[in-house]
Amino acid sequence: MSDVFPKTPGQRDKSTSILLVTHDDAAGALVENIISQYGTAFRLGRVATAEAASLSLAQSRWDVCLVDTSIGETDVAAVVAELTLRSIGTPFIVLASDATTEYTTELELAGVMDVLDRSTLTPAILEKSIHYSLKYQRYQDGLRASKDELIKQLLDVQEAMERLHTQGEDYAELVERLAEARDRAESSESRYRTLAERSTVGIWQLSIDGTTQYMNPAMRRLLELDDDEAVNGVDHVSMLTEAGQRAFRNARDQWLERVSATCEVALIGNRTKDARHGVISGGVLPTIGGRVEALLAMVVDITERKQAEDRIRHLAGHDTLTGLPNRALFHDRLEQALSTAQRDGKFVAVLFLDLDHFKDINDTLGHPAGDQLLIQVAARLRECARRSDTVARFGGDEFAIIAASTDKGRGATILAGRVIEALSRTFVISGQEVRTSTSVGITMSPTDGTDADKLLRCADLALYRAKENERGTYQFYDRQMDLEIRARKELERDLAQALERQQLSLRYQPQIDLTTGRPSGAEALLRWHHPQRGEVPPSVFIPVAESTGVIVPIGEWVLRNACAEAKRWQEHGLPPIPVAVNLSPVQVRKRTLVETVSRVLDETSLAPSQLDLEVTEGTVMDDTPLMTKRLGQLCDLGVSLTIDDFGTGYSSLAYLKRFPVDKLKIDQSFVRDITTDQSDAAIARTVILLGHSLDMRVVAEGVETAEQLSMLRSCNCDQVQGYYFSRPLTAEAFAHWLSQYADDPQATARAVRSAWSIADDLDDHRPLRVALTAL
């Protein structure tokens, strides 16, 4: 399109002049930004009102006039029609914020060359519109000049004939003048035909009844007609779609009434049967006497523009990765489905789902693999759903399905089962097998409501419950969920603010060495005191902190404060003892964990040997390669590592021996009934023997009685902690407790030994110990 927008100033003699009519600064900036990309290839003028535009058009010749609908006039079409009368030869393009078909037709009737949607305006669209407008205008100017010249010549002939009749002019002179007029007419017709044959705009001359009289090459290409194919007398209107034929007939009727009209049609190709889109404008060809002889139509091919608009509309309503409808389109279809269901008395099910552990797949395999997984998930969901259902991707790993049915929930149950089964099967990503699962939340309309937004919220709540209860299953919404989820959300909100509002604190529980009877460490335990809720149990708020991710900043706060407190005890002359800090699985999976621990040790000046990090058995077994690397890095720092709650999960001795672990901690659930339940006693003995066989020390928590203590001593347990010795204490109280030991080192040892005598009354269990050792 170098004839309209030359790439360099040297490619044309003068700039293309463009007059912009708008008082909207945003619209003006948009056009100026696009125009500025073409350098000095044209000159842009700008006025704010229709009056100023009329004056400028009257005073100067502008190549193109861009009119923005924000000029404030109530009838933009009327304003444009008036402006066209004052500037014959200047094409008009309208920038509209809402380019509906009716509005576009009204503007085109007023003489507008093209109507562009401001929200989708790009340099390419504006360039193409101006290009075709100038081309078309030049064609109109040439056609008008040829027509005027032809009429003038015919009038000369008529004048000559009248003079012959009334004045009796010399016949020879008349013949000569007629010959000259004929020659000029033939020359004008030749120029007109040359212009038509070379035009990129389709030119189509028709008889009044609609049969073709002439087509230029551009029009033949639109209809896929061969150059030598006869067209005279053929009905080519039938090659328009039915809607296009109606639009064309309406425009033709207005032309016959001497009214300007345009229409947008789809033309079906003669060979491929593919549809191309065009805008038709035209009028009548009258005889000298004023009788209508034929119709002349100009057809501009807008197929590429329509395709670009279709792509933009598709992208606005679809997910670019999977091709599924996005949230906006899903919402529209849900509202349509609800309206139809209310009319027909049917039910509508909304299923909401996401993938379990999708973030872990992204982190371990990379985002490209995650994208491939989402594409395959979308394909399987399509296979599960019916053609009448809508499957959409909301973003991330979230998907939703609309399913209409005549039953209340059976169809939704079957669909949810198919989805869960389909997504549980192995995926292959870049030659590597990947497994995932899904949980599904289901809500029904009208049972749970008839509002689209409410149903989506209900489905989300049901999904939350499904994931909370058991992953890989589905859950229907019920109203009780609202109350529970609201309470959960309030707890999440309060917990997110607890650290900032200084509602969190630490308690320290002593750990006792059973060999010496002396304090051997202290475990830092997190507490939350809420102004209204009171003391919130860790079993309540820790899972919430882990699920929301707030456990990461809270965990770092616990680590820093526990290390700082242990260092302060030493600085106050108390015996140095290690402080044990629990790590959440969420913290352990963070790549920055090792860096965080190292930084905290440096900031608090605590020796790494004085820090004991506790991780649960389930955490280290969850991802063995990652845990082996992560625990190895922590061990390299010099800190101690303890596996907490040992025996409560699915232990693997093969993996356990690979970990650089210093201690095993027996869960208090086994200690509680160790003196009355033989199974618990056997498990405790087994854990102790296992730990010692792997050169690990063993700690038992939850010791509350002398009998429990004696039993553990008889099993050669290394360390214990529990209420029998002390409840969890504040930092100040623990320092006081430790200072008492410093003043009387034998005090704690005597308290321990007082319970040891009970061990003599208990069974020795040597046969079991020998058997386990042999195993």
Side-chain angles (χ1 to χ4, degrees):
M1 301 188 183
S2 59
D3 54 336
V4 179
F5 292 106
K7 299 306 179 183
T8 63
Q11 287 181 283
R12 87 184 257 114
D13 295 331
K14 74 180 193 69
S15 300
T16 299
S17 59
I18 302 173
L19 177 63
L20 173 63
V21 186
T22 181
H23 74 272
D24 186 334
D25 291 338
L30 173 64
V31 174
E32 289 171 359
N33 180 55
I34 291 175
I35 293 299
S36 66
Q37 298 180 28
Y38 295 93
T40 59
F42 46 79
R43 174 173 55 88
L44 179 67
R46 177 176 170 184
V47 295
T49 64
E51 292 77 11
S54 178
L55 180 61
S56 180
L57 289 167
Q59 293 176 343
S60 305
R61 171 61 189 266
W62 294 89
D63 294 328
V64 180
C65 183
L66 299 178
V67 181
D68 182 43
T69 55
S70 66
I71 57 176
E73 302 292 338
T74 57
D75 189 350
V76 176
V79 170
V80 173
E82 182 177 351
L83 291 176
T84 57
L85 295 176
R86 298 177 180 271
S87 58
I88 297 175
T90 299
F92 281 75
I93 300 173
V94 169
L95 302 178
S97 58
D98 184 18
T100 61
T101 301
E102 294 79 3
Y103 189 56
T104 300
T105 301
E106 181 184 2
L107 290 170
E108 289 173 344
L109 290 175
V112 171
M113 195 69 67
D114 198 1
V115 180
L116 303 179
D117 191 330
R118 193 195 312 162
S119 64
T120 60
L121 187 63
T122 65
I125 291 176
L126 182 58
E127 178 185 11
K128 185 172 289 187
S129 177
I130 295 177
H131 167 73
Y132 283 121
S133 298
L134 291 174
K135 286 262 187 178
Y136 182 64
Q137 188 62 47
R138 285 198 291 272
Y139 166 75
Q140 289 267 24
D141 293 342
L143 182 62
R144 187 183 299 110
S146 297
K147 181 180 176 182
D148 291 342
E149 184 178 351
L150 181 60
I151 291 175
K152 180 177 179 300
Q153 292 164 0
L154 293 174
L155 289 175
D156 289 343
V157 173
Q158 185 179 17
E159 180 182 358
M161 293 180 67
E162 288 175 353
R163 281 200 299 270
L164 176 63
H165 178 70
T166 59
Q167 300 176 9
E169 291 184 353
D170 180 79
Y171 178 75
E173 182 182 352
L174 177 59
V175 170
E176 183 180 351
R177 294 187 62 186
L178 285 173
E180 292 175 355
R182 181 195 63 199
D183 293 341
R184 288 196 299 269
E186 289 176 352
S187 176
S188 177
E189 181 181 357
S190 176
R191 287 196 301 273
Y192 166 75
R193 181 171 294 276
T194 300
L195 179 62
E197 294 292 312
R198 295 180 179 178
S199 174
T200 59
V201 175
I203 299 176
W204 187 10
Q205 184 173 315
L206 307 93
S207 63
I208 302 301
D209 61 6
T211 58
T212 298
Q213 294 179 346
Y214 167 76
M215 279 184 181
N216 73 338
M219 189 66 199
R220 287 175 177 268
R221 288 192 295 272
L222 274 173
L223 294 176
E224 297 180 355
L225 301 176
D226 295 332
D227 292 341
D228 58 352
E229 184 173 343
V231 295
N232 191 27
V234 179
D235 177 17
H236 290 105
V237 176
S238 61
M239 297 185 70
L240 308 181
T241 61
E242 291 186 6
Q245 293 180 38
R246 289 193 298 270
F248 180 79
R249 284 194 292 268
N250 291 336
R252 178 199 62 189
D253 293 342
Q254 294 183 69
W255 296 341
L256 293 174
E257 295 294 330
R258 303 299 201 276
V259 176
S260 175
T262 61
C263 60
E264 186 174 316
V265 300
L267 307 95
I268 307 301
N270 183 49
R271 292 189 301 274
T272 64
K273 304 304 178 184
D274 293 335
R276 296 195 67 83
H277 297 273
V279 173
I280 301 179
S281 59
V284 298
L285 290 176
T287 62
I288 294 178
R291 182 175 58 85
V292 175
E293 184 178 55
L295 303 174
L296 183 63
M298 275 67 71
V299 185
V300 178
D301 187 355
I302 61 168
T303 304
E304 292 183 5
R305 191 186 81 184
K306 292 287 290 185
Q307 290 172 345
E309 292 172 351
D310 290 342
R311 284 194 296 271
I312 292 172
R313 279 192 293 269
H314 180 83
L315 290 175
H318 290 78
D319 173 50
T320 55
L321 177 65
T322 64
L324 294 177
N326 59 15
R327 181 188 292 268
L329 182 55
F330 181 90
H331 195 280
D332 290 343
R333 291 189 180 177
L334 179 55
E335 289 186 333
Q336 295 173 12
L338 293 173
S339 177
T340 302
Q342 287 178 335
R343 183 190 64 212
D344 299 341
K346 293 184 178 181
F347 292 91
V348 174
V350 177
L351 287 73
F352 196 53
L353 61 117
D354 63 12
L355 303 180
D356 297 330
H357 307 302
F358 177 71
K359 183 179 183 299
D360 294 339
I361 296 173
N362 254 348
D363 291 343
T364 56
L365 300 181
H367 289 282
D371 289 346
Q372 288 301 313
L373 176 61
L374 292 174
I375 293 172
Q376 293 188 31
V377 166
R380 292 190 187 182
L381 291 178
R382 288 193 190 98
E383 294 174 356
C384 294
R386 302 167 301 181
R387 288 189 177 183
S388 57
D389 299 338
T390 294
V391 180
R393 180 188 176 214
F394 276 20
D397 62 328
E398 294 181 340
F399 296 85
I401 304 175
I402 303 171
S405 64
T406 56
D407 61 80
K408 186 174 181 179
R410 182 172 176 272
T413 301
I414 294 173
L415 176 57
R418 286 203 302 266
V419 167
I420 292 171
E421 189 279 329
L423 299 190
S424 67
R425 298 197 301 268
T426 301
F427 294 87
V428 179
I429 308 295
S430 300
Q432 184 172 354
E433 291 189 352
V434 175
R435 297 189 66 88
T436 185
S437 60
T438 187
S439 305
V440 183
I442 308 172
T443 186
M444 299 294 299
S445 176
T447 308
D448 301 328
T450 57
D451 178 72
D453 291 326
K454 180 182 178 182
L455 290 172
L456 287 172
R457 186 175 64 85
C458 292
D460 190 21
L461 292 178
L463 171 62
Y464 184 88
R465 173 59 60 83
K467 295 172 73 70
E468 188 179 56
N469 290 345
E470 181 183 0
R471 293 179 183 269
T473 186
Y474 62 84
Q475 177 72 51
F476 279 88
Y477 168 81
D478 66 63
R479 288 182 174 83
Q480 181 63 25
M481 291 181 186
D482 270 329
L483 300 177
E484 296 176 0
I485 297 301
R486 189 177 297 114
R488 169 71 178 238
K489 294 298 183 184
E490 290 176 356
L491 184 64
E492 291 177 358
R493 181 199 61 206
D494 291 348
L495 183 57
Q497 300 170 344
L499 190 59
E500 178 183 349
R501 296 179 177 179
Q502 299 181 350
Q503 296 171 359
L504 300 179
S505 62
L506 292 180
R507 299 292 185 270
Y508 299 89
Q509 189 170 42
Q511 295 176 333
I512 307 300
D513 189 304
L514 286 183
T515 302
T516 64
R518 298 177 179 179
S520 58
E523 181 178 7
L525 301 171
L526 182 62
R527 296 292 183 263
W528 178 20
H529 180 80
H530 189 272
Q532 285 76 42
R533 301 175 187 270
E535 294 293 335
V536 184
S539 60
V540 173
F541 73 81
I542 292 296
V544 174
E546 290 179 335
S547 66
T548 59
V550 74
I551 190 67
V552 174
I554 289 178
E556 183 173 343
W557 178 87
V558 171
L559 179 65
R560 178 173 283 101
N561 280 269
C563 291
E565 201 61 60
K567 183 63 177 179
R568 276 194 291 272
W569 293 335
Q570 297 176 22
E571 292 173 346
H572 283 78
L574 296 175
I577 59 172
V579 61
V581 176
N582 290 277
L583 293 180
S584 161
V586 179
Q587 290 176 273
V588 177
R589 293 192 190 100
K590 292 287 288 184
R591 297 178 180 177
T592 57
L593 173 64
V594 178
E595 177 187 346
T596 299
V597 173
S598 177
R599 185 177 67 254
V600 169
L601 289 172
D602 289 341
E603 292 173 356
T604 59
S605 300
L606 183 69
S609 61
Q610 298 299 300
L611 176 62
D612 183 14
L613 297 178
E614 297 188 0
V615 294
T616 64
E617 179 184 18
T619 300
V620 296
M621 296 302 173
D622 186 47
D623 189 344
T624 302
L626 175 63
M627 287 304 107
T628 302
K629 177 182 178 181
R630 193 63 43 80
L631 295 182
Q633 292 171 331
L634 291 172
C635 183
D636 291 341
L637 293 179
V639 302
S640 298
L641 298 175
T642 298
I643 294 185
D644 196 10
D645 301 336
F646 191 80
T648 59
Y650 298 93
S651 306
S652 171
L653 301 185
Y655 286 140
L656 182 60
K657 67 181 182 180
R658 300 178 186 175
F659 297 139
V661 176
D662 300 285
K663 297 180 187 177
L664 298 180
K665 178 176 280 190
I666 303 174
D667 187 69
Q668 60 182 336
S669 61
F670 301 123
V671 176
R672 185 181 302 112
D673 298 322
I674 193 172
T675 60
T676 59
D677 189 307
Q678 292 185 1
S679 297
D680 286 347
I683 290 174
R685 285 189 174 90
T686 302
V687 172
I688 293 170
L689 287 172
L690 175 64
H692 289 167
S693 67
L694 295 174
D695 294 327
M696 299 178 187
R697 294 174 63 80
V698 181
V699 184
E701 63 180 353
V703 178
E704 298 182 355
T705 68
E707 291 78 10
Q708 293 170 344
L709 176 63
S710 297
M711 174 66 80
L712 291 167
R713 175 181 172 273
S714 70
C715 297
N716 294 323
C717 185
D718 299 295
Q719 294 176 318
V720 292
Q721 71 180 81
Y723 280 21
Y724 180 74
F725 300 99
S726 174
R727 292 176 177 272
L729 305 172
T730 63
E732 294 77 9
F734 183 85
H736 178 70
W737 182 91
L738 194 58
S739 66
Q740 287 183 323
Y741 164 76
D743 294 338
D744 185 6
Q746 300 301 317
T748 306
R750 286 195 298 272
V752 174
R753 293 193 184 97
S754 66
W756 286 357
S757 60
I758 304 175
D760 298 334
D761 300 328
L762 300 176
D763 292 336
D764 193 12
H765 296 286
R766 284 196 191 89
L768 175 62
R769 185 178 304 146
V770 171
L772 288 172
T773 303
L775 179 63

